[in-house]
Amino acid sequence: MRHLQLPSLKDLYLLVVGDVMLDRYWHGATRRVSPEAPVPVVDVEHTEDCPGGAANVAVNVKSLGAGSTLLGCVGDDAPGGALKRKLDASGVCEDFIVSPDASTTLKLRVVSRQQQLLRTDFEKPTSPYLARRLAMQVPGQLEDANALIIADYDKGAVGDPAVLIEAARRANVPVVVDPKAKPFRAYAGATVLKPNEREFAAATGKCRNESELGERAVALCEELDIGALVVTHGAGGMSVATGEGYHHLPARPVEVFDVTGAGDTAAAVFGITSALGWPALDGARFANIAASIAVSKAGTAAVSGPELALAASQGSLSDRGILSREQLALAAKAAAANGEKLVFTNGCFDILHAGHVRYLEEARALGDRLIVAVNDDASVARLKGEGRPVNGLDRRLRVLAGLESVDWVVAFDEDTPDSLLELLRPHVLAKGGDYEPHEVVGADLVRSYGGKVRVLGHVEDCSTTAILEQMKNSGTTG
């Protein structure tokens, strides 16, 4: 993939319209259980307010380096005042409709020991009258905007998205939509439509597999004149569909701390990259990494431009990572069609050691993409015996995905990788260790369609079994 870099965004200006809310956090210690009910008692030590919903999208736009104006409806109440003060402090221009008949949405979360214990919502839907007033403000605000982001949380502020999208199209301004519960037809003509997996299933029906999801998403792009439909899967990454095809991006492996607001961050990035005129897939690469930064923070947190730039410079924008079998099949097919040479290897990789690292580097040198298939926990136990694996599947996958030599990692539950080899048909099957070529499982299958089999370097006295035996003899294992 070509190198991507965000330019200076100081001259970009984005308009954000949608349902605004205040995210409030009560933080405190839990030292006892209530005598009134079997629940913990939280001694609240401090309160934190953060802009939420469309307001968080606007804050992320500003934090990333572009200018932002936020349109929404709030009540003439304390949460509305607190939200306006937070936005002013963040540098976001707000042009709210303030009504005594409205109520500012407030989400209160009780947090102790970095764990959310309870969330309570205080909200009243925005009236159709206020939604129409809000829509009337949009055309004038679009005159100087480089992109429009519609954050529709189904609280009533976005009564008729078609009116907003049509206004943006007349002004030649790209539109990014983060939808909630409306039929996708309501967002026809958007530049980018970004539902999550659950929202996509609610709108189109549950998909049996990744291929069906891709087919439906591509068809919707053509049917509804949508530039790109991006389905977010949380820890599963993002699926990007356009009228020209479908591509899946695995999520960056990170320690997830709090998923609150990650979708808002992604919407902000799509707004910026759409304003820059980037293709949706390149925008998704940045949105994917920005969302991974967001979930590694506590609460409703914004991602800064320097953070995103640093992650991009470290190569985090590539489509490498952990994939499902179906996602891998699509990625491998696209790579092969692009003339890339696929190398496949497999194993338990229970305790990664120097021998593994060396042979994986050698395997990667044989082609353009290295696929590593990993036995799941049950198959490792069948192959290696009681007490194995030492490290569970998730840990093994994440460690392998972090190696520079590895492109794609996939789990399999069979004792042999034959079904994966038949599905992917790699150009090279590689294996490390002291095997003879004819002893490599799957060798005959790969040769049957013209592929090659390679046995790579072996590091003496370096194996998982030997390491575990040494640990046992030295008394360092339990």
Side-chain angles (χ1 to χ4, degrees), residues 325-340:
R325 186 179 297 233
E326 293 171 349
Q327 291 166 352
L328 178 58
L330 292 170
K333 182 179 178 180
N338 197 39
E340 294 182 81

Side-chain angles (χ1 to χ4, degrees), residues 293-369:
I293 297 172
V295 300
S296 66
K297 299 182 177 187
T300 309
V303 174
S304 70
E307 282 179 301
L308 185 55
L310 177 61
S313 69
Q314 294 174 337
S316 299
L317 291 169
S318 70
D319 57 358
R320 301 167 62 245
I322 302 167
L323 296 176
S324 69
R325 186 179 297 233
E326 293 171 349
Q327 291 166 352
L328 178 58
L330 292 170
K333 182 179 178 180
N338 197 39
E340 294 182 81
K341 188 176 183 180
L342 305 179
V343 182
F344 179 101
T345 192
N346 65 281
C348 299
F349 301 100
D350 193 1
I351 297 179
L352 201 67
H353 53 68
H356 289 138
V357 174
R358 174 176 164 179
Y359 110 71
L360 290 173
E361 290 172 344
E362 291 181 6
R364 180 62 175 79
L366 297 175
D368 302 301
R369 295 278 192 173

